[in-house]
Amino acid sequence: MKNKILIFSSIILSTLVPLSAYAQDSQDYGIPEVSFINQQIRQGWDDYEIRPSILATDGEWCRRVFLDIIGRVPSVTELREYVKDKDPLKKKKLVTQLLNDENYTEDYAKNWTTLWTNVLIGRSGGTERNSLTNRAGLQKYLRDSLARNKYYNEIVQELVTATGSNTPGTDNYNGAVNFLTMKLAENATLATAETSRVFLGLQVQCTQCHNHPFNEWKQQKFWEMNAFFRQTRSLRRFTTGTRNVSHVELVNESFTGEGLTKDPDKADIYYELRNGITKVAYPVFVDGTKIDPSGYVEDVIRRNELGKLIVNSTYLDKMAVNRIWAHFMGYGFTKPIDDMGPHNPSSHPELVDYLGQQFRKKSFDLKQLITWVVLSEPYALSSRTNSSNETADDPLLGETPKFSRFYIRQMRAEELYESLITATSADKGRGSYEEQESRKSQWLSQFIVAFGNDEGGEQTS
Protein backbone atom coordinates (compact mmCIF):
# COMPACT_ATOMS: atom_id res chain seq x y z
CA MET A 1 0.00 0.00 0.00
CA LYS A 2 2.85 2.35 0.87
CA ASN A 3 4.47 1.83 -2.54
CA LYS A 4 1.20 2.59 -4.32
CA ILE A 5 0.81 5.83 -2.38
CA LEU A 6 4.36 6.83 -3.35
CA ILE A 7 3.86 6.22 -7.03
CA PHE A 8 0.46 7.93 -7.11
CA SER A 9 2.24 10.93 -5.63
CA SER A 10 4.85 10.76 -8.39
CA ILE A 11 2.07 11.01 -10.96
CA ILE A 12 0.72 14.24 -9.51
CA LEU A 13 3.40 15.97 -7.43
CA SER A 14 6.95 17.29 -7.82
CA THR A 15 9.54 16.88 -5.08
CA LEU A 16 11.36 19.67 -3.24
CA VAL A 17 14.35 21.33 -4.92
CA PRO A 18 17.71 21.24 -3.13
CA LEU A 19 19.90 24.33 -3.15
CA SER A 20 22.55 22.46 -5.16
CA ALA A 21 20.17 22.44 -8.13
CA TYR A 22 20.78 26.15 -8.71
CA ALA A 23 24.01 25.25 -10.53
CA GLN A 24 23.18 24.68 -14.19
CA ASP A 25 23.74 21.32 -15.88
CA SER A 26 26.45 22.06 -18.44
CA GLN A 27 27.19 18.45 -19.35
CA ASP A 28 27.11 17.50 -23.00
CA TYR A 29 28.09 13.85 -22.38
CA GLY A 30 30.66 14.05 -25.17
CA ILE A 31 27.84 14.30 -27.74
CA PRO A 32 28.35 17.16 -30.26
CA GLU A 33 24.63 17.47 -30.96
CA VAL A 34 23.86 17.96 -27.26
CA SER A 35 26.63 20.56 -27.03
CA PHE A 36 25.21 22.47 -30.01
CA ILE A 37 21.68 22.42 -28.55
CA ASN A 38 23.00 23.82 -25.26
CA GLN A 39 25.03 26.50 -27.04
CA GLN A 40 22.14 27.66 -29.24
CA ILE A 41 19.56 27.72 -26.44
CA ARG A 42 21.93 29.53 -24.07
CA GLN A 43 22.59 32.11 -26.78
CA GLY A 44 18.86 32.79 -26.85
CA TRP A 45 18.83 33.30 -23.09
CA ASP A 46 21.68 35.80 -23.43
CA ASP A 47 19.98 37.61 -26.30
CA TYR A 48 16.78 38.06 -24.29
CA GLU A 49 18.67 38.70 -21.03
CA ILE A 50 16.87 36.01 -19.09
CA ARG A 51 18.14 33.50 -16.56
CA PRO A 52 17.17 29.86 -16.91
CA SER A 53 15.27 28.14 -14.14
CA ILE A 54 16.97 25.89 -11.62
CA LEU A 55 17.55 22.24 -12.47
CA ALA A 56 14.79 19.72 -11.97
CA THR A 57 15.42 17.31 -9.13
CA ASP A 58 16.47 13.76 -9.86
CA GLY A 59 12.94 12.58 -9.10
CA GLU A 60 11.35 15.14 -11.40
CA TRP A 61 13.72 14.40 -14.26
CA CYS A 62 13.31 10.64 -13.87
CA ARG A 63 9.52 10.90 -13.95
CA ARG A 64 9.71 13.23 -16.95
CA VAL A 65 11.93 11.01 -19.05
CA PHE A 66 9.92 7.87 -18.27
CA LEU A 67 6.71 9.58 -19.33
CA ASP A 68 8.16 11.07 -22.50
CA ILE A 69 10.10 8.04 -23.73
CA ILE A 70 7.99 5.06 -22.64
CA GLY A 71 4.65 6.70 -21.81
CA ARG A 72 4.33 5.96 -18.10
CA VAL A 73 5.70 7.05 -14.74
CA PRO A 74 8.50 4.98 -13.22
CA SER A 75 7.62 2.36 -10.67
CA VAL A 76 8.70 3.01 -7.09
CA THR A 77 11.63 0.65 -7.55
CA GLU A 78 12.74 2.31 -10.79
CA LEU A 79 12.49 5.77 -9.23
CA ARG A 80 14.42 4.82 -6.10
CA GLU A 81 17.18 3.13 -8.07
CA TYR A 82 17.72 6.22 -10.19
CA VAL A 83 17.63 8.70 -7.31
CA LYS A 84 20.15 6.76 -5.21
CA ASP A 85 22.56 6.28 -8.16
CA LYS A 86 25.64 8.52 -7.65
CA ASP A 87 27.07 8.08 -11.15
CA PRO A 88 27.54 11.57 -12.74
CA LEU A 89 26.54 10.04 -16.08
CA LYS A 90 23.37 8.43 -14.75
CA LYS A 91 21.10 10.50 -17.02
CA LYS A 92 22.80 9.14 -20.11
CA LYS A 93 22.73 5.65 -18.59
CA LEU A 94 18.97 5.82 -17.95
CA VAL A 95 18.18 7.20 -21.42
CA THR A 96 20.26 4.43 -23.01
CA GLN A 97 18.42 1.89 -20.89
CA LEU A 98 14.94 3.14 -21.77
CA LEU A 99 15.77 3.27 -25.47
CA ASN A 100 17.81 0.11 -25.89
CA ASP A 101 17.31 -2.33 -23.01
CA GLU A 102 15.10 -5.23 -24.08
CA ASN A 103 13.17 -4.89 -20.80
CA TYR A 104 11.79 -1.59 -22.10
CA THR A 105 11.42 -2.45 -25.80
CA GLU A 106 7.72 -3.23 -25.48
CA ASP A 107 6.99 -0.06 -23.49
CA TYR A 108 8.97 2.09 -25.95
CA ALA A 109 7.29 0.57 -29.00
CA LYS A 110 3.83 0.81 -27.42
CA ASN A 111 4.24 4.47 -26.45
CA TRP A 112 5.57 5.60 -29.81
CA THR A 113 3.02 3.47 -31.65
CA THR A 114 0.33 5.40 -29.80
CA LEU A 115 1.97 8.74 -30.57
CA TRP A 116 2.44 8.04 -34.27
CA THR A 117 -1.01 6.46 -34.66
CA ASN A 118 -2.57 9.64 -33.28
CA VAL A 119 -0.45 11.76 -35.64
CA LEU A 120 -1.27 9.65 -38.70
CA ILE A 121 -4.98 8.91 -38.25
CA GLY A 122 -6.06 10.67 -35.03
CA ARG A 123 -7.21 9.25 -31.73
CA SER A 124 -10.54 8.18 -33.21
CA GLY A 125 -9.18 6.96 -36.55
CA GLY A 126 -10.45 3.50 -37.38
CA THR A 127 -13.17 3.60 -34.74
CA GLU A 128 -15.76 5.26 -36.98
CA ARG A 129 -18.67 3.22 -38.29
CA ASN A 130 -17.84 1.64 -41.67
CA SER A 131 -14.31 3.01 -41.42
CA LEU A 132 -11.87 2.05 -44.17
CA THR A 133 -9.04 2.32 -41.61
CA ASN A 134 -8.03 -0.67 -39.54
CA ARG A 135 -6.51 0.89 -36.43
CA ALA A 136 -5.10 -2.40 -35.18
CA GLY A 137 -3.51 -2.95 -38.57
CA LEU A 138 -1.68 0.37 -38.48
CA GLN A 139 -0.63 -0.17 -34.87
CA LYS A 140 0.82 -3.60 -35.66
CA TYR A 141 2.87 -2.12 -38.49
CA LEU A 142 4.15 0.74 -36.32
CA ARG A 143 4.83 -1.44 -33.30
CA ASP A 144 6.87 -3.91 -35.36
CA SER A 145 8.77 -1.07 -37.04
CA LEU A 146 9.55 0.78 -33.82
CA ALA A 147 10.52 -2.33 -31.88
CA ARG A 148 13.14 -3.00 -34.59
CA ASN A 149 14.13 0.68 -34.62
CA LYS A 150 13.38 0.97 -38.30
CA TYR A 151 14.76 4.27 -39.57
CA TYR A 152 12.33 7.16 -39.88
CA ASN A 153 12.87 7.71 -43.62
CA GLU A 154 12.03 4.05 -44.26
CA ILE A 155 8.80 4.32 -42.25
CA VAL A 156 7.77 7.48 -44.09
CA GLN A 157 8.48 6.00 -47.50
CA GLU A 158 6.51 2.87 -46.64
CA LEU A 159 3.52 4.87 -45.38
CA VAL A 160 3.43 7.06 -48.50
CA THR A 161 3.90 4.27 -51.05
CA ALA A 162 2.13 1.32 -49.38
CA THR A 163 -0.15 -1.11 -51.19
CA GLY A 164 -1.90 -4.19 -49.85
CA SER A 165 -4.55 -5.22 -47.33
CA ASN A 166 -5.21 -3.13 -44.24
CA THR A 167 -6.20 -5.98 -41.90
CA PRO A 168 -3.86 -8.37 -40.05
CA GLY A 169 -4.39 -12.02 -40.99
CA THR A 170 -5.56 -11.32 -44.55
CA ASP A 171 -3.61 -12.09 -47.70
CA ASN A 172 -1.21 -9.34 -48.74
CA TYR A 173 -1.48 -7.61 -45.34
CA ASN A 174 0.45 -4.34 -45.09
CA GLY A 175 -0.56 -2.22 -42.10
CA ALA A 176 1.13 0.86 -43.57
CA VAL A 177 -1.77 1.32 -46.02
CA ASN A 178 -3.98 2.49 -43.17
CA PHE A 179 -2.43 5.95 -43.29
CA LEU A 180 -4.12 6.60 -46.65
CA THR A 181 -7.14 4.30 -46.87
CA MET A 182 -9.59 6.91 -45.52
CA LYS A 183 -7.96 9.89 -47.23
CA LEU A 184 -8.64 9.15 -50.90
CA ALA A 185 -12.24 10.36 -51.22
CA GLU A 186 -12.94 13.53 -53.19
CA ASN A 187 -9.93 13.11 -55.48
CA ALA A 188 -7.54 12.45 -52.57
CA THR A 189 -7.60 16.03 -51.30
CA LEU A 190 -7.17 14.88 -47.69
CA ALA A 191 -4.29 12.57 -48.66
CA THR A 192 -2.60 15.57 -50.28
CA ALA A 193 -3.06 17.82 -47.27
CA GLU A 194 -2.16 15.28 -44.59
CA THR A 195 0.91 13.89 -46.35
CA SER A 196 2.25 17.43 -46.77
CA ARG A 197 1.44 18.44 -43.20
CA VAL A 198 2.58 15.33 -41.32
CA PHE A 199 5.84 14.63 -43.14
CA LEU A 200 6.88 17.98 -44.63
CA GLY A 201 5.42 20.48 -42.17
CA LEU A 202 3.61 22.27 -45.00
CA GLN A 203 -0.03 23.15 -44.45
CA VAL A 204 -1.28 23.31 -48.02
CA GLN A 205 -4.94 22.52 -47.36
CA CYS A 206 -6.10 26.13 -47.69
CA THR A 207 -4.49 26.35 -51.15
CA GLN A 208 -6.91 23.73 -52.44
CA CYS A 209 -9.37 26.53 -53.25
CA HIS A 210 -7.24 29.70 -53.33
CA ASN A 211 -3.69 31.00 -53.07
CA HIS A 212 -2.17 31.10 -49.59
CA PRO A 213 -3.02 34.43 -47.91
CA PHE A 214 0.37 34.82 -46.17
CA ASN A 215 3.07 33.46 -48.49
CA GLU A 216 3.91 32.53 -52.05
CA TRP A 217 2.25 29.09 -51.96
CA LYS A 218 -0.18 29.03 -54.85
CA GLN A 219 -3.24 26.95 -55.58
CA GLN A 220 -1.22 25.32 -58.35
CA LYS A 221 1.12 23.70 -55.78
CA PHE A 222 -1.74 21.90 -54.06
CA TRP A 223 -3.00 20.29 -57.24
CA GLU A 224 0.49 19.41 -58.43
CA MET A 225 0.97 17.49 -55.16
CA ASN A 226 -2.52 16.04 -55.49
CA ALA A 227 -1.64 14.58 -58.91
CA PHE A 228 0.73 12.11 -57.20
CA PHE A 229 -2.27 10.34 -55.58
CA ARG A 230 -4.52 9.97 -58.62
CA GLN A 231 -3.44 6.40 -59.40
CA THR A 232 -4.38 5.21 -55.92
CA ARG A 233 -7.61 3.41 -54.99
CA SER A 234 -9.11 1.97 -51.79
CA LEU A 235 -11.03 -1.18 -52.72
CA ARG A 236 -13.48 -2.87 -50.37
CA ARG A 237 -13.13 -6.65 -50.24
CA PHE A 238 -16.20 -8.61 -49.13
CA THR A 239 -16.57 -11.84 -47.21
CA THR A 240 -17.48 -14.55 -49.71
CA GLY A 241 -21.23 -14.75 -50.29
CA THR A 242 -22.04 -11.70 -48.14
CA ARG A 243 -22.14 -7.92 -48.30
CA ASN A 244 -19.89 -7.64 -45.24
CA VAL A 245 -16.59 -5.86 -45.83
CA SER A 246 -13.79 -8.12 -44.62
CA HIS A 247 -10.95 -5.70 -45.36
CA VAL A 248 -9.80 -2.87 -47.59
CA GLU A 249 -7.02 -3.07 -50.14
CA LEU A 250 -4.95 -0.14 -51.38
CA VAL A 251 -3.91 -0.52 -55.02
CA ASN A 252 -2.26 1.46 -57.80
CA GLU A 253 -4.23 1.65 -61.05
CA SER A 254 -3.50 3.47 -64.27
CA PHE A 255 -5.08 6.94 -64.38
CA THR A 256 -6.41 8.28 -67.67
CA GLY A 257 -6.60 11.91 -66.63
CA GLU A 258 -9.57 14.25 -66.40
CA GLY A 259 -9.44 15.80 -69.85
CA LEU A 260 -12.21 15.20 -72.37
CA THR A 261 -9.81 13.34 -74.64
CA LYS A 262 -8.55 11.06 -71.80
CA ASP A 263 -4.85 10.93 -72.63
CA PRO A 264 -3.09 8.59 -70.13
CA ASP A 265 0.31 9.57 -71.53
CA LYS A 266 0.06 12.84 -69.65
CA ALA A 267 -2.94 12.14 -67.36
CA ASP A 268 -3.71 15.75 -66.57
CA ILE A 269 -6.00 17.02 -63.81
CA TYR A 270 -7.91 20.29 -63.68
CA TYR A 271 -8.87 22.77 -60.99
CA GLU A 272 -10.73 26.06 -60.98
CA LEU A 273 -9.46 29.44 -59.86
CA ARG A 274 -11.72 31.79 -57.93
CA ASN A 275 -12.25 33.85 -61.07
CA GLY A 276 -13.65 30.78 -62.83
CA ILE A 277 -10.63 30.06 -65.02
CA THR A 278 -9.76 26.38 -65.29
CA LYS A 279 -6.09 25.35 -65.08
CA VAL A 280 -4.23 22.09 -65.58
CA ALA A 281 -1.80 20.37 -63.18
CA TYR A 282 0.70 17.52 -63.41
CA PRO A 283 2.70 15.81 -60.63
CA VAL A 284 5.30 18.31 -59.40
CA PHE A 285 6.90 18.20 -55.94
CA VAL A 286 6.90 21.27 -53.67
CA ASP A 287 10.50 22.06 -54.60
CA GLY A 288 9.61 22.16 -58.30
CA THR A 289 10.84 18.65 -59.21
CA LYS A 290 8.74 17.18 -62.02
CA ILE A 291 8.18 13.50 -62.77
CA ASP A 292 6.92 11.65 -65.83
CA PRO A 293 3.28 12.79 -66.23
CA SER A 294 2.16 9.42 -67.59
CA GLY A 295 -0.81 7.89 -65.82
CA TYR A 296 0.18 4.35 -66.78
CA VAL A 297 1.50 2.41 -63.79
CA GLU A 298 3.70 0.52 -66.27
CA ASP A 299 5.50 3.82 -66.93
CA VAL A 300 5.59 5.37 -63.49
CA ILE A 301 3.97 4.77 -60.10
CA ARG A 302 3.49 8.30 -58.92
CA ARG A 303 3.34 7.59 -55.20
CA ASN A 304 6.64 5.72 -55.37
CA GLU A 305 8.23 8.80 -56.88
CA LEU A 306 6.57 10.98 -54.23
CA GLY A 307 8.02 8.77 -51.48
CA LYS A 308 11.54 9.24 -52.87
CA LEU A 309 11.08 13.00 -53.18
CA ILE A 310 9.78 13.31 -49.61
CA VAL A 311 12.65 11.39 -48.01
CA ASN A 312 15.19 13.38 -50.04
CA SER A 313 13.67 16.70 -48.97
CA THR A 314 15.12 18.79 -46.14
CA TYR A 315 11.53 19.56 -45.18
CA LEU A 316 11.36 15.97 -43.89
CA ASP A 317 14.41 16.48 -41.66
CA LYS A 318 13.17 19.72 -40.14
CA MET A 319 9.62 18.47 -39.60
CA ALA A 320 10.85 15.37 -37.76
CA VAL A 321 13.13 17.48 -35.57
CA ASN A 322 10.32 19.92 -34.80
CA ARG A 323 7.86 17.15 -33.90
CA ILE A 324 10.29 15.32 -31.62
CA TRP A 325 11.44 18.56 -29.96
CA ALA A 326 7.82 19.60 -29.31
CA HIS A 327 6.99 16.21 -27.80
CA PHE A 328 9.78 16.48 -25.24
CA MET A 329 9.88 20.25 -24.67
CA GLY A 330 6.17 21.06 -24.77
CA TYR A 331 6.51 23.50 -27.69
CA GLY A 332 8.12 23.25 -31.08
CA PHE A 333 10.31 25.74 -32.89
CA THR A 334 7.17 26.88 -34.76
CA LYS A 335 3.54 27.15 -33.76
CA PRO A 336 1.81 25.05 -34.88
CA ILE A 337 4.58 22.49 -35.13
CA ASP A 338 3.42 21.15 -38.50
CA ASP A 339 3.36 24.53 -40.23
CA MET A 340 6.95 25.25 -41.24
CA GLY A 341 6.23 27.20 -44.40
CA PRO A 342 8.11 30.41 -45.28
CA HIS A 343 5.47 32.56 -43.58
CA ASN A 344 6.12 30.94 -40.18
CA PRO A 345 9.82 31.31 -39.27
CA SER A 346 11.41 29.09 -36.65
CA SER A 347 12.35 30.44 -33.23
CA HIS A 348 15.81 28.83 -33.55
CA PRO A 349 16.48 28.40 -37.30
CA GLU A 350 20.16 27.47 -36.96
CA LEU A 351 19.34 24.76 -34.44
CA VAL A 352 16.56 23.30 -36.59
CA ASP A 353 18.81 23.21 -39.65
CA TYR A 354 21.69 21.65 -37.73
CA LEU A 355 19.62 18.96 -36.01
CA GLY A 356 17.92 18.15 -39.32
CA GLN A 357 21.30 17.71 -41.00
CA GLN A 358 22.61 15.53 -38.17
CA PHE A 359 19.43 13.46 -38.12
CA ARG A 360 19.95 12.72 -41.82
CA LYS A 361 23.65 11.95 -41.29
CA LYS A 362 22.72 9.48 -38.55
CA SER A 363 20.46 7.60 -41.01
CA PHE A 364 17.25 9.08 -39.55
CA ASP A 365 17.67 7.13 -36.32
CA LEU A 366 14.85 8.35 -34.08
CA LYS A 367 16.56 7.06 -30.94
CA GLN A 368 19.60 9.21 -31.68
CA LEU A 369 17.41 12.30 -32.08
CA ILE A 370 15.55 11.51 -28.87
CA THR A 371 18.85 11.10 -27.01
CA TRP A 372 20.11 14.53 -28.12
CA VAL A 373 16.95 16.27 -26.90
CA VAL A 374 16.54 14.55 -23.51
CA LEU A 375 20.20 14.97 -22.56
CA SER A 376 20.15 18.68 -23.37
CA GLU A 377 20.27 21.41 -20.75
CA PRO A 378 16.80 22.88 -21.42
CA TYR A 379 15.20 19.47 -20.92
CA ALA A 380 16.89 19.21 -17.52
CA LEU A 381 15.38 22.44 -16.16
CA SER A 382 12.69 22.79 -13.53
CA SER A 383 9.26 24.16 -14.36
CA ARG A 384 9.71 26.72 -11.56
CA THR A 385 10.03 30.23 -12.91
CA ASN A 386 12.27 33.04 -11.73
CA SER A 387 11.94 36.82 -11.89
CA SER A 388 13.58 37.03 -15.32
CA ASN A 389 11.67 34.31 -17.19
CA GLU A 390 8.26 34.26 -15.53
CA THR A 391 6.64 36.49 -18.16
CA ALA A 392 9.47 36.86 -20.72
CA ASP A 393 9.32 33.13 -21.50
CA ASP A 394 5.66 32.21 -21.30
CA PRO A 395 4.27 30.85 -24.60
CA LEU A 396 0.76 30.94 -23.10
CA LEU A 397 1.07 34.74 -23.10
CA GLY A 398 2.10 34.72 -26.75
CA GLU A 399 5.84 34.83 -26.12
CA THR A 400 8.15 32.90 -28.44
CA PRO A 401 9.38 29.88 -26.43
CA LYS A 402 12.96 30.36 -25.24
CA PHE A 403 13.09 27.05 -23.33
CA SER A 404 14.53 28.69 -20.22
CA ARG A 405 12.31 26.46 -18.10
CA PHE A 406 10.34 23.27 -18.49
CA TYR A 407 6.82 24.16 -19.56
CA ILE A 408 4.08 22.58 -17.48
CA ARG A 409 1.68 20.44 -19.48
CA GLN A 410 -1.07 17.96 -18.87
CA MET A 411 -0.41 14.27 -19.04
CA ARG A 412 -1.81 12.79 -22.20
CA ALA A 413 -4.81 10.56 -21.61
CA GLU A 414 -2.73 7.55 -22.71
CA GLU A 415 0.03 8.46 -20.24
CA LEU A 416 -2.48 8.70 -17.41
CA TYR A 417 -3.92 5.31 -18.30
CA GLU A 418 -0.53 3.57 -18.46
CA SER A 419 0.65 5.30 -15.28
CA LEU A 420 -2.42 4.16 -13.35
CA ILE A 421 -1.79 0.64 -14.63
CA THR A 422 1.80 0.86 -13.33
CA ALA A 423 0.76 2.43 -10.02
CA THR A 424 -1.78 -0.27 -9.25
CA SER A 425 0.27 -3.18 -10.64
CA ALA A 426 -2.65 -3.90 -12.94
CA ASP A 427 -0.15 -4.66 -15.70
CA LYS A 428 0.25 -8.17 -14.37
CA GLY A 429 -1.61 -10.67 -16.53
CA ARG A 430 -3.08 -8.05 -18.86
CA GLY A 431 -3.57 -10.40 -21.81
CA SER A 432 -2.38 -9.95 -25.38
CA TYR A 433 -1.32 -6.61 -26.82
CA GLU A 434 -4.53 -6.45 -28.87
CA GLU A 435 -6.67 -7.05 -25.76
CA GLN A 436 -4.75 -4.38 -23.85
CA GLU A 437 -5.22 -1.85 -26.65
CA SER A 438 -8.92 -2.65 -26.95
CA ARG A 439 -9.48 -1.97 -23.23
CA LYS A 440 -7.41 1.20 -23.43
CA SER A 441 -9.35 2.46 -26.47
CA GLN A 442 -12.65 1.92 -24.67
CA TRP A 443 -11.38 3.89 -21.66
CA LEU A 444 -9.95 6.70 -23.79
CA SER A 445 -13.07 7.15 -25.90
CA GLN A 446 -14.76 9.11 -23.12
CA PHE A 447 -12.18 11.89 -23.48
CA ILE A 448 -12.18 12.27 -27.26
CA VAL A 449 -14.35 14.53 -29.38
CA ALA A 450 -13.93 14.19 -33.15
CA PHE A 451 -15.04 16.99 -35.46
CA GLY A 452 -16.65 16.08 -38.75
CA ASN A 453 -14.61 18.46 -40.86
CA ASP A 454 -12.34 18.02 -43.88
CA GLU A 455 -9.22 18.07 -41.72
CA GLY A 456 -10.35 15.33 -39.32
CA GLY A 457 -9.80 17.55 -36.29
CA GLU A 458 -10.06 16.21 -32.75
CA GLN A 459 -10.04 17.57 -29.23
CA THR A 460 -9.32 15.85 -25.95
CA SER A 461 -10.73 16.85 -22.59
Side-chain angles (χ1 to χ4, degrees):
M1 183 64 183
K2 182 180 178 182
N3 282 354
K4 291 180 181 179
I5 293 173
L6 281 172
I7 198 165
F8 271 120
S9 298
S10 81
I11 295 175
I12 306 299
L13 302 175
S14 298
T15 55
L16 294 176
V17 181
L19 292 175
S20 60
Y22 283 84
Q24 292 308 307
D25 184 359
S26 58
Q27 289 193 85
D28 59 19
Y29 303 94
I31 303 174
E33 292 80 6
V34 175
S35 179
F36 193 82
I37 291 173
N38 293 346
Q39 172 195 329
Q40 289 288 304
I41 297 298
R42 286 185 203 134
Q43 184 60 55
W45 300 339
D46 291 342
D47 291 344
Y48 286 98
E49 298 182 342
I50 56 179
R51 288 180 292 108
S53 293
I54 58 177
L55 290 178
T57 65
D58 279 351
E60 289 171 332
W61 190 88
C62 180
R63 175 185 182 275
R64 180 182 301 170
V65 80
F66 264 81
L67 278 168
D68 288 344
I69 292 182
I70 65 172
R72 64 167 175 83
V73 295
S75 67
V76 171
T77 301
E78 291 165 330
L79 183 61
R80 282 176 173 163
E81 284 181 355
Y82 178 77
V83 170
K84 73 180 182 182
D85 189 349
K86 303 303 180 184
D87 186 343
L89 298 179
K90 67 180 185 178
K91 285 184 178 178
K92 183 179 180 182
K93 186 165 65 176
L94 178 58
V95 170
T96 301
Q97 187 177 15
L98 293 177
L99 290 174
N100 300 302
D101 192 305
E102 63 180 16
N103 292 325
Y104 292 103
T105 298
E106 182 179 341
D107 284 339
Y108 170 83
K110 181 164 59 177
N111 182 44
W112 288 90
T113 291
T114 296
L115 290 164
W116 283 112
T117 299
N118 291 346
V119 168
L120 296 169
I121 62 172
R123 278 186 167 91
S124 59
T127 64
E128 312 93 338
R129 186 175 181 181
N130 299 322
S131 176
L132 300 185
T133 300
N134 186 292
R135 191 176 186 88
L138 177 61
Q139 288 178 324
K140 175 173 169 47
Y141 163 77
L142 289 171
R143 188 170 74 256
D144 292 346
S145 298
L146 292 162
R148 299 200 310 271
N149 197 32
K150 184 182 290 183
Y151 293 142
Y152 180 69
N153 60 325
E154 295 175 359
I155 293 174
V156 171
Q157 188 153 14
E158 289 171 1
L159 289 166
V160 172
T161 64
T163 58
S165 167
N166 72 337
T167 303
T170 56
D171 292 339
N172 201 26
Y173 161 70
N174 180 0
V177 302
N178 286 289
F179 170 59
L180 289 175
T181 47
M182 279 284 283
K183 299 180 175 73
L184 296 170
E186 299 179 353
N187 292 326
T189 53
L190 188 55
T192 307
E194 287 296 278
T195 301
S196 300
R197 180 185 68 82
V198 171
F199 302 126
L200 300 172
L202 300 175
Q203 297 210 9
V204 300
Q205 61 271 22
C206 72
T207 61
Q208 175 183 344
C209 303
H210 55 78
N211 293 335
H212 199 290
F214 306 124
N215 64 44
E216 74 271 18
W217 295 118
K218 304 298 182 185
Q219 195 176 353
Q220 179 82 9
K221 280 188 178 294
F222 179 91
W223 293 104
E224 287 172 343
M225 278 289 285
N226 176 262
F228 283 99
F229 295 95
R230 291 304 189 92
Q231 294 172 321
T232 310
R233 300 285 180 272
S234 283
L235 304 179
R236 292 174 172 86
R237 303 302 189 190
F238 298 91
T239 304
T240 304
T242 74
R243 295 179 61 83
N244 299 325
V245 176
S246 66
H247 62 280
V248 172
E249 193 165 353
L250 205 65
V251 300
N252 293 317
E253 295 179 347
S254 293
F255 173 58
T256 60
E258 294 180 332
L260 294 176
T261 56
K262 300 292 183 187
D263 182 3
D265 285 323
K266 58 182 182 180
D268 41 18
I269 64 174
Y270 295 89
Y271 66 96
E272 190 173 293
L273 301 177
R274 281 191 161 183
N275 59 11
I277 295 176
T278 299
K279 299 198 72 174
V280 66
Y282 301 100
V284 181
F285 193 59
V286 293
D287 63 2
T289 302
K290 300 177 182 179
I291 68 164
D292 183 348
S294 173
Y296 289 115
V297 292
E298 295 84 359
D299 295 336
V300 60
I301 297 177
R302 294 182 175 187
R303 272 195 302 135
N304 288 358
E305 297 305 308
L306 177 61
K308 296 173 189 175
L309 290 165
I310 287 176
V311 299
N312 287 328
S313 170
T314 57
Y315 282 117
L316 179 78
D317 313 357
K318 296 175 184 178
M319 182 61 240
V321 165
N322 206 26
R323 190 178 299 283
I324 295 298
W325 183 272
H327 169 73
F328 287 99
M329 303 301 298
Y331 288 91
F333 296 111
T334 62
K335 186 178 180 180
I337 61 169
D338 47 16
D339 188 5
M340 302 188 75
H343 64 291
N344 194 25
S346 165
S347 61
H348 295 75
E350 282 186 58
L351 182 53
V352 174
D353 289 346
Y354 172 81
L355 290 177
Q357 292 164 9
Q358 297 307 109
F359 184 46
R360 182 174 288 272
K361 286 180 181 178
K362 293 296 194 299
S363 303
F364 297 94
D365 186 343
L366 284 167
K367 290 185 177 180
Q368 291 268 8
L369 180 55
I370 289 169
T371 298
W372 304 337
V373 177
V374 298
L375 290 181
S376 69
E377 185 174 2
Y379 188 76
L381 299 176
S382 169
S383 59
R384 296 189 178 194
T385 59
N386 58 45
S387 58
S388 75
N389 71 3
E390 185 171 13
T391 56
D393 186 11
D394 189 347
L396 290 176
L397 298 178
E399 290 291 327
T400 300
K402 291 128 184 126
F403 308 105
S404 67
R405 59 187 174 91
F406 194 80
Y407 305 115
I408 293 175
R409 58 182 186 262
Q410 285 181 297
M411 292 175 73
R412 292 181 292 116
E414 295 90 347
E415 290 173 335
L416 178 59
Y417 180 88
E418 295 295 344
S419 295
L420 290 171
I421 292 292
T422 299
T424 58
S425 299
D427 53 336
K428 306 297 188 291
R430 295 174 64 190
S432 69
Y433 178 87
E434 290 74 18
E435 291 170 335
Q436 294 175 39
E437 285 301 304
S438 176
R439 287 196 293 270
K440 183 164 74 173
S441 294
Q442 292 175 11
W443 187 83
L444 291 172
S445 64
Q446 63 189 305
F447 303 116
I448 301 168
V449 177
F451 301 108
N453 59 20
D454 292 340
E455 298 172 26
E458 294 178 333
Q459 187 67 47
T460 55
S461 61

